[in-house]
């Protein structure tokens, strides 16, 4: 049986994973290092069983299409090392699974890995052009929030999103894994075609106040020509504006929890063309 001590870097607070033997009784305790913060409260503990299945491989991935495909990672699956040099340090996807998407037509596609249920694990992913571990991957870090608009249960979940451009018939293998050795579980892989450009479907703005609704799983918009996975807009609400006269304009997202904004004169959002701003509101939200 594998033991995860409090000091183990792979352990997720409030969750412990171990391989158990049938018929053996085990004992579990849960609490705080110091103090007591929920006396007299009713809490819940969930027990999950993950049956062993053969580990997937990059050479034999699960084919996925547009829409949603369920998948699962297990602790026994090997990790995948992602080569991100020279833009970023390499990343490890623990308990990795491999999925393959083939584009039905030219265009931009949003790829999302979203854990199932309220017990969220922390996925991140890499889009591979080759199974050779030395080949540079397109990386999507773990994000947190309410990607499925499930704010009512206060169940924030961790998820990962990336957008890629593909030609008709072109395929990519996507490796999905946990952020730590104790991160694995069930999830859905969702694929949505954005359009011919990253800004297809963007909402037209006019002078004055414009209301908008944040859709479930808004795409992650990469900044073309940038080096590094942080040079992108995650969960991007997209807009377009055509002024009637030349001059200075300001686009304010105050009180909308859109902390960052970027403007370009190209729908492909090239890095060299961007005008950006962040946390510019008086109350910072």
């Amino acid at each position: 049986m594998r033991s995860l001590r409090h000091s183990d870097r792979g352990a997720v607070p409030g969750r412990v994973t171990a391989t158990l033997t049938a018929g053996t009784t085990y004992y579990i305790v849960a609490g705080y290092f110091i103090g007591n913060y929920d006396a007299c409260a009713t809490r819940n503990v969930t027990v999950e069983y993950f049956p062993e299945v053969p580990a997937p491989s990059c050479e034999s991935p699960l084919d996925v299409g547009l829409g949603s495909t369920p998948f699962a990672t297990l602790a026994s699956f090997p990790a995948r090392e992602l080569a991100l040099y020279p833009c970023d340090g390499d990343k490890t996807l623990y308990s990795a699974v491999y999925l393959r998407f083939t584009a039905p037509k030219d265009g931009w596609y949003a790829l999302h890995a979203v854990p199932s249920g309220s017990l969220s694990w922390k996925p991140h992913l890499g889009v591979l052009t080759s199974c050779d571990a030395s080949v540079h991957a397109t990386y999507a870090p773990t994000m947190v929030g309410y990607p499925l608009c499930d704010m009512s249960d206060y169940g924030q979940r961790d998820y990962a999103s990336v957008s890629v451009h593909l030609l008709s018939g072109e395929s990519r293998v996507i490796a999905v894994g946990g952020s730590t050795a104790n991160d694995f579980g069930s999830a859905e892989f969702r694929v949505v075609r954005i359009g011919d450009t990253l800004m297809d479907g963007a909402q037209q703005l006019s002078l004055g106040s414009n209301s908008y609704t944040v859709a479930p799983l808004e795409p992650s918009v990469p900044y073309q020509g940038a080096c590094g996975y942080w040079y992108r807009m995650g969960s991007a609400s997209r807009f377009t504006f055509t002024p009637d006269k030349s001059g200075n304009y300001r686009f304010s997202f105050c009180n909308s929890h859109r902390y960052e904004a970027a403007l370009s004169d190209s729908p492909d959002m090239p890095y060299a063309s961007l005008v950006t701003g962040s946390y510019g509101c008086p109350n910072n939200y």
Side-chain angles (χ1 to χ4, degrees), residues 2-274:
R2 182 185 177 210
S3 174
L4 296 177
R5 300 181 186 85
H6 294 300
S7 60
D8 285 353
R9 290 182 178 272
V12 175
R15 196 167 65 188
V16 63
T17 302
T19 301
L20 308 184
T21 302
T24 301
T25 299
Y26 299 88
Y27 304 89
I28 303 98
V29 296
Y32 298 94
F33 292 127
I34 301 173
N36 185 346
Y37 299 97
D38 59 353
C40 306
T42 300
R43 296 291 187 242
N44 183 68
V45 55
T46 299
V47 181
E48 300 171 280
Y49 170 65
F50 300 94
E52 290 296 325
V53 297
S57 70
C58 182
E59 292 74 15
S60 300
L62 170 67
D63 283 306
V64 300
L66 292 172
S68 180
T69 302
F71 71 96
T73 64
L74 295 179
S76 59
F77 290 176
R80 170 80 188 199
E81 300 296 329
L82 293 182
L84 303 180
Y85 178 84
C87 301
D88 300 291
D90 294 350
K91 296 291 181 181
T92 301
L93 306 180
Y94 293 91
S95 305
V97 299
Y98 297 88
L99 313 169
R100 179 171 56 204
F101 173 69
T102 301
K105 60 189 302 186
D106 296 358
W108 283 93
Y109 292 85
L111 314 177
H112 310 280
V114 185
S116 307
S118 59
L119 285 179
S120 181
W121 53 286
K122 298 178 182 295
H124 55 164
L125 63 84
V127 181
L128 312 176
T129 58
S130 168
C131 288
D132 184 342
S134 66
V135 175
H136 192 278
T138 300
Y139 177 66
T142 302
M143 300 192 293
V144 63
Y146 303 100
L148 304 182
C149 300
D150 47 357
M151 287 83 74
S152 60
D153 63 2
Y154 302 99
Q156 290 193 62
R157 69 184 73 210
D158 297 282
Y159 65 104
S161 296
V162 68
S163 296
V164 295
H165 186 273
L166 299 172
L167 300 177
S168 178
E170 192 174 13
S171 297
R172 287 291 184 272
V173 171
I174 303 97
V176 185
S179 298
T180 71
N182 199 34
D183 263 324
F184 61 90
S186 59
E188 290 185 358
F189 192 76
R190 302 191 181 194
V191 182
V192 179
R193 185 177 185 273
I194 299 172
D196 294 333
T197 76
L198 285 167
M199 291 298 120
D200 279 22
Q203 178 178 331
Q204 178 71 47
L205 297 178
S206 58
L207 281 176
S209 179
N210 297 263
S211 65
Y212 68 96
T213 300
V214 180
L217 288 175
E218 295 275 35
S220 176
V221 173
Y223 299 150
Q224 301 303 296
C227 191
Y229 63 84
W230 289 114
Y231 292 99
R232 70 195 226 301
M233 185 67 73
S235 187
S237 297
R238 295 165 298 136
F239 306 92
T240 182
F241 176 74
T242 304
D244 292 329
K245 60 180 70 174
S246 299
N248 293 318
Y249 292 83
R250 180 166 62 184
F251 300 86
S252 172
F253 293 90
C254 296
N255 300 314
S256 71
H257 292 274
R258 305 271 107 179
Y259 296 109
E260 299 176 341
L263 179 148
S264 173
D265 59 1
S266 168
D268 290 326
M269 305 297 286
Y271 179 64
S273 75
L274 295 181

